[in-house]
Amino acid sequence: MSTNDSSIRTSPVSSPNDLGTKPIGTLLVQYSLPAIVAALVTSLYNIVDSIFIGRGVGPMAISGLAITFPLMNLVVAFCVLLAAGGATVSSIFLGQKNLEKATETLNSVAAMCVVHAVVIGGAGLLFLDSILTFFGATEETLPYAREFMRVILLGTPVSYIFIGLNNLMRATGYPKKAMISAILSVVVNVILAPLFIFKFEWGIGGAALATIIGQLSAFVWVLAHFISRKSYVHFRRQERLSRPSLLMRIYGIGLSPFLMNCCACLVVVFINKSLLDSAGADGNTAIGAYGIINRTTMFFIMVVFGITQGMQPILGYNYGAGNWGRVSHTLRMGLWAGASISTLGCAVCELFPNTISHMFTTDGPMVTIAREGFRLYFICFPIVGVQIIIQNYFQSLGKPKFSIFLSLTRQLLFLVPMLWIMSRLYGVPGVWLSMTGSDFLAGVLAIATVIYMNRRLGRQIQPGHAQDI
């Protein structure tokens, strides 16, 4: 490797200080594009993984996998609590030119990721069958869900440290290396999953094992980055433990995505139970159809999250530095990009629901239910991208209360009552329509909230004066 190549690998894509001076469009490309690529690769793998399971294990395995979604969301929630909070706090500290506190944030996130992984992984394994049954598992789907989640829970220490530190890698100026982490994890996963499922016949547990081994390879890459003294922010020995005030700030900001994942967990439980009640004998098939819709939906949502991940260090840095004009400009560009992605998702799923469903399974009843679900759910999907951008915008500014409020409205306050009413009136189609209606109402509320709050924030911030978090 040449000297020039080495500098590319060990230096930030741009100095963190450039977040306050370079054109916003340039920064969004530099930070969002790697995150979008990583999100696309990860989302594609999630779809391909489901296809492997559906084709290699069977339609009930897809239903079993769908049952694990709530528990997966809950497990991820305790990791994102640290990852998102730590990324925002470190960006704001860098905007304040406080490298020492940014380093302390890195040390705190790494240590607490280990603690969270041991506690959450252990508790999940201890009560696994009870949790999965509560989430809607039946005698037919429980064995598949149990087999998958046992492997995932055993691998939580690797998963937590990889996800937590990868977020900080991006936030501290290394979006390309963060992208490589995600791609490395997926490539290893894609190679191993079909081998474990089709060659070794390890079933759905083999798919889970491939996931953990893929994350282990990325874990090594990320850890090496933060150990290296060439990295702008890296591990340094500190005489004192993490300050409680810093941990509280990390948890406070990370509370929004944490609650969002917890809400997603509850929502999937409600949806699964509503489908079981509404579909009768075809309940497991309906849950499998929802699993197909969920995987496809997440493909587009993950791309929008890639945009928010690219926006986060730009927003955090400039808000910390008091550059309100650059904050507003970043938000406007993010809204345009998020709406474009979700509109594309709407068009694809409305036009090709049958094709998408057949990718996952050849089971006729499951394809029929999924096709109807695609057409009803994606009616209002264009506004979902806007809602997600706005929700993460407040999180990036260190305003978790507003982000939490918007998260709760979309996933609980609007959806749960509509789900209860619509499923009883219209059966399975009512389940899809309740999701559509809640997305529309949450999007309108998010737009009204950001307009109101930006007027207040614009008056409060003094240009060039650092903002406290």
Side-chain angles (χ1 to χ4, degrees):
M1 179 182 292
S2 67
T3 304
N4 187 47
D5 288 340
S6 177
S7 66
I8 291 174
R9 289 174 61 88
T10 57
S11 299
V13 67
S14 59
S15 165
N17 294 331
D18 290 343
L19 291 167
T21 56
K22 275 192 174 182
I24 297 297
T26 302
L27 288 170
L28 271 176
V29 171
Q30 289 179 334
Y31 279 81
S32 289
L33 189 59
I36 290 171
V37 171
L40 275 171
V41 172
T42 302
S43 298
L44 278 173
Y45 173 72
N46 287 333
I47 291 174
V48 172
D49 191 37
S50 296
I51 293 172
F52 287 155
I53 291 170
R55 297 277 180 166
V57 187
M60 277 301 102
I62 289 185
S63 298
L65 184 65
I67 291 296
T68 69
F69 290 166
L71 183 52
M72 290 283 284
N73 282 330
L74 193 59
V75 170
V76 169
F78 284 94
C79 180
V80 172
L81 177 63
L82 295 164
T88 298
V89 170
S90 62
S91 292
I92 294 176
F93 280 145
L94 289 175
Q96 297 170 346
K97 308 293 190 284
N98 196 329
L99 182 58
E100 181 181 352
K101 286 188 177 179
T103 301
E104 185 181 353
T105 302
L106 167 65
N107 293 344
S108 300
V109 169
M112 294 310 298
C113 275
V114 175
V115 174
H116 279 212
V118 172
V119 173
I120 302 306
L125 286 168
L126 189 60
F127 302 105
L128 184 56
D129 279 15
S130 299
I131 294 171
L132 292 173
T133 301
F134 174 75
F135 288 163
T138 63
E139 289 184 4
E140 293 84 0
T141 58
L142 180 59
Y144 295 107
R146 179 200 299 125
E147 185 180 354
F148 185 83
M149 284 309 304
R150 274 180 179 169
V151 179
I152 295 297
L153 290 170
L154 285 170
T156 48
V158 170
S159 303
Y160 273 37
I161 296 176
F162 159 53
I163 295 171
L165 295 189
N166 206 50
N167 274 263
L168 264 71
M169 181 186 287
R170 184 182 300 105
T172 54
Y174 296 84
K176 289 183 180 178
K177 293 188 76 172
M179 174 189 71
I180 292 172
S181 304
I183 293 176
L184 178 61
S185 172
V186 169
V187 168
V188 172
N189 211 332
V190 167
I191 293 171
L192 294 180
L195 185 66
F196 291 170
I197 294 173
F198 297 103
K199 177 68 175 176
F200 298 155
E201 297 182 351
W202 290 349
I204 196 170
L209 181 60
T211 298
I212 296 301
I213 294 175
Q215 291 179 343
L216 178 62
S217 62
F219 162 88
V220 173
W221 165 266
V222 172
L223 199 62
H225 166 82
F226 282 110
I227 290 174
S228 173
R229 294 181 178 274
K230 295 180 180 179
S231 300
Y232 190 80
V233 178
H234 57 269
F235 289 121
R236 291 174 180 164
R237 185 176 300 175
Q238 293 180 321
E239 294 181 359
R240 65 179 180 184
L241 297 174
S242 299
R243 291 173 294 119
S245 59
L246 175 61
L247 291 175
M248 290 300 294
R249 195 56 188 163
I250 292 172
Y251 281 115
I253 294 176
L255 191 60
S256 170
F258 170 78
L259 289 177
M260 183 180 71
N261 279 277
C262 289
C263 288
C265 167
L266 289 174
V267 164
V268 174
V269 173
F270 288 134
I271 291 173
N272 285 345
K273 291 186 179 295
S274 295
L275 290 171
L276 281 172
D277 293 338
S278 302
D282 292 328
N284 287 327
T285 302
I287 289 176
Y290 172 59
I292 293 172
I293 295 169
N294 186 287
R295 283 296 199 200
T296 308
T297 302
M298 288 307 299
F299 173 80
F300 296 102
I301 288 180
M302 286 295 289
V303 177
V304 179
F305 277 135
I307 296 169
T308 65
Q309 288 172 351
M311 293 171 62
Q312 182 272 315
I314 305 170
L315 289 168
Y317 185 100
N318 285 286
Y319 179 75
N323 296 329
W324 178 248
R326 292 175 64 81
V327 170
S328 299
H329 190 188
T330 304
L331 172 63
R332 288 194 297 271
M333 296 189 72
L335 288 172
W336 180 87
S340 299
I341 295 300
S342 55
T343 300
L344 175 63
C346 173
V348 170
C349 292
E350 290 289 346
L351 291 173
F352 308 107
N354 212 48
T355 303
I356 296 171
S357 301
H358 273 291
M359 288 170 53
F360 291 87
T361 182
T362 57
D363 186 73
M366 189 176 290
V367 168
T368 300
I369 297 173
R371 180 175 61 240
E372 180 184 48
F374 274 118
R375 287 185 168 148
L376 292 177
Y377 171 64
F378 276 86
I379 294 171
C380 292
F381 197 66
I383 204 169
V384 171
V386 172
Q387 199 272 348
I388 291 172
I389 293 290
I390 294 173
Q391 179 184 315
N392 283 272
Y393 163 74
F394 286 116
Q395 176 189 316
S396 297
L397 298 190
K399 305 290 182 184
K401 291 181 181 179
F402 296 98
S403 186
I404 292 169
F405 168 68
L406 295 177
S407 176
L408 291 176
T409 55
R410 180 188 177 210
Q411 300 194 78
L412 284 183
L413 299 183
F414 291 146
L415 179 56
V416 172
M418 292 184 71
L419 186 63
W420 188 84
I421 295 169
M422 299 292 283
S423 65
R424 280 158 177 74
L425 290 175
Y426 304 108
V428 173
V431 175
W432 314 132
L433 288 171
S434 66
M435 297 161 68
T436 301
S438 65
D439 282 343
F440 174 76
L441 293 175
V444 172
L445 179 63
I447 293 170
T449 302
V450 79
I451 291 173
Y452 172 74
M453 282 304 302
N454 271 10
R455 288 174 180 170
R456 291 185 58 186
L457 290 172
R459 290 193 297 265
Q460 292 173 0
I461 292 179
Q462 298 181 13
H465 287 71
Q467 305 300 305
D468 289 333
I469 62 166

